[in-house]
Amino acid sequence: MSQPTLFLTVGLSCTGKTTAARRIESERKALRLTKDEWVKALYGHENPPSAQDVIEGRLIQIGLRVLELGNNVVIDFGLWSRDERSALRQAAADRGATVEIRYFELTPAEQRRRLDQRQADAPHTTWPMSDEELADWAAEIDIPTSGELDGSEPIGDPPAGFATWDEWRTHRWPPSAF
């Protein structure tokens, strides 16, 4: 049996993550976990900030279990911080899986164009986003290094106050609202 792979799509909104995740799902027989689809299914037109981390946490738990069962997984929800990616890289390694990080970026003008097109063609798949929000989010993302992308860079220690990446991961992504 071959080693399972955890695919991480990294990037801002409307940069092509979900399109790539769908391709990975098909080509690599991976379970695709796309957060926006779950938020839309559960909340419709709402996008409550309080639900984001819990939904991500549940999807990560499902994804890690699928890796344990020997199957490929693609996590499709941005993963803007290096700590998020490091926690998932470590969790995959702990389960005997490899990790492939796919980073997507576009110019702000192309990102806006794609968002406007998505709003026109399939408004049920997304939420309105202002230029100010897009600019704020662009300032927040930790762009992956080449060593992080090719897997040559060590994961490193978890942030201060956390003994393990698993501890940090369950703090960052609570598995439930309670």
Side-chain angles (χ1 to χ4, degrees), residues 17-171:
K17 297 180 309 296
T18 299
T19 299
R22 286 184 179 124
R23 190 170 30 257
I24 294 166
E25 173 186 35
S26 174
E27 293 172 359
R28 300 292 298 273
K29 297 182 179 14
L31 174 65
R32 179 176 54 87
L33 299 169
T34 299
K35 178 188 71 174
D36 288 352
E37 292 174 356
W38 286 78
V39 173
K40 281 291 189 178
L42 294 169
Y43 296 97
H45 297 295
E46 301 299 316
N47 189 10
S50 62
Q52 303 300 313
D53 294 344
V54 173
I55 290 173
E56 288 179 8
R58 295 302 297 171
L59 293 177
I60 288 166
Q61 279 190 320
I62 291 166
L64 294 178
R65 179 63 183 135
V66 170
L67 289 174
E68 289 170 352
L69 294 171
N71 297 296
N72 297 331
V73 175
V74 57
I75 300 284
D76 175 29
F77 45 79
L79 301 168
W80 295 353
S81 87
R82 181 182 177 94
D83 285 344
E84 291 172 334
R85 298 185 300 269
S86 294
L88 294 175
R89 287 174 63 201
Q90 185 63 59
D94 292 346
R95 287 157 180 81
T98 61
V99 176
E100 290 186 27
I101 297 175
R102 309 279 175 93
Y103 174 60
F104 302 88
E105 69 178 326
L106 295 171
T107 65
E110 179 61 14
Q111 184 186 18
R112 176 85 259 165
R113 187 197 69 73
R114 286 186 180 191
L115 177 59
D116 292 344
Q117 189 68 48
R118 184 186 296 172
Q119 285 286 346
D121 294 345
H124 62 282
T125 66
T126 191
W127 296 271
M129 295 173 226
S130 69
D131 288 341
E132 182 179 85
E133 286 173 313
L134 294 176
D136 288 347
W137 297 334
E140 289 180 31
I141 191 169
D142 294 328
I143 296 171
T145 64
S146 59
E148 192 180 2
L149 291 171
D150 69 18
S152 65
E153 199 169 297
I155 294 171
D157 294 329
F162 296 93
T164 66
W165 278 111
D166 272 346
E167 184 183 332
W168 184 89
R169 179 176 47 81
T170 56
H171 175 79

